[in-house]
Amino acid sequence: VSHIAEEYYIAIDLGATKTRIALCDKNGIIEKTVYYTPRQGNEYTIAESIHSKIVSMWGNKVDKIKALGIATIGPLDIKEGRVVRPANVPIRSFELLKPLVKTLKKPVYVVNDCVAAAWGEKYYGDAVNYENFIYLTLSTGVGAGVVVDGNLLIGKMGNAHEVGHIVVDFTSDLQCGCGGRGHWEVFAGGANVNKVLRYLVEKNSLNAYSELKEKVLSGEQIDARKLFEYYRNGDPLAKKAVDIYIEATAAGIASIINVYDPELITIGGSVFLNNVDILYEPIVSRVKTNTITQPPIIKPTRLGDDVGLYGALAIAVHTPRKIAEIQGKMISRIIGEA
Ligand SMILES: [Zn+2]
């Protein structure tokens, strides 16, 4: 890296499948690396993988690192800076804040990935000039980070981002991964595509021939990527499932607009970003019919796949007051002991 900065920051976007790590200065990303998140090991394996990646890539700069930000999958125990029983990683729970502060002797702030992404929009994305905005992710799951009157919402347990569990159809018997029924995420989470398709086939709500229906009946697992492929090829079952996706997402977005009154909503997440041409216009036009406040600007995030990294960077450089309150004391204590 030829870039010379006085102070560096490390941004980490910890996903269920991949971990992205970037060397940054306060203005943005300088260099980044991506690797597969460890799927086996103990509660320290993931923190150790992050530590060894940082040391091997940027070992000569560790002294000049000012702070680290981690945007992680949840659920988060925000006080301890650890992840507890994540849905899609086989390691039952793992520590992030404590082992990394101990080995690097730097502040490490750990925040849910959607919450961090919203903060990233404020400093590096489209929300620079806004005090009221929402970052929404439409990916394997559905989640959001919310800023109201300039404050990043955290909640009593750090779970103020779980908008995917808003009930969009209380008469539905489709069960969400969380156990609830009719949640936004059951209709629009990439992980639930197969469930929705099976439901539609079992309800026998389709008369026309559908190749996708044959696949579902044969027991093939259909993911979001395949669903949208079938949609693009004109498959009628795919059309039904995508229509449901759009209706549920419009209902969910209308609900968060009515609750938080944002000026701006940016949308990221692989399912949305890969299918903006199919999803954007119908979702935005349906949202308006269910909102009581003036509708906000809605647009795809321009930070793309890096929105989590920018979020983590924003958390490290411009640490939200509430996060500094919750995690700052423990960080000082561990650095003091080291
Ligand atoms: Zn749910």
Side-chain angles (χ1 to χ4, degrees), residues 203-215:
K203 251 182 44 187
N204 206 11
S205 58
L206 198 71
N207 301 316
Y209 172 78
S210 156
E211 190 188 331
L212 180 57
K213 182 178 170 180
E214 300 303 316
K215 296 273 163 140

Side-chain angles (χ1 to χ4, degrees), residues 98-109:
K98 287 179 194 169
L100 285 167
V101 174
K102 207 167 182 175
T103 50
L104 293 164
K105 299 173 188 67
K106 309 284 179 185
V108 179
Y109 298 102

Side-chain angles (χ1 to χ4, degrees), residues 164-165 176 178 180 183:
H165 305 282
C176 184
C178 74
H183 292 184

Side-chain angles (χ1 to χ4, degrees), residues 118 120-131 133 264 302:
E121 292 283 13
K122 182 173 172 66
Y123 288 95
Y124 304 103
D126 284 311
V128 172
N129 297 315
Y130 296 94
E131 292 280 290
F133 62 91
L264 169 73
R302 65 183 166 87

Side-chain angles (χ1 to χ4, degrees), residues 64-87:
K64 290 166 100 184
I65 293 171
K66 197 161 180 227
L68 295 84
I70 305 183
T72 179
I73 50 164
L76 199 58
D77 177 346
I78 199 156
K79 287 183 184 147
E80 298 288 320
R82 71 174 163 223
V83 175
V84 185
R85 286 187 290 279

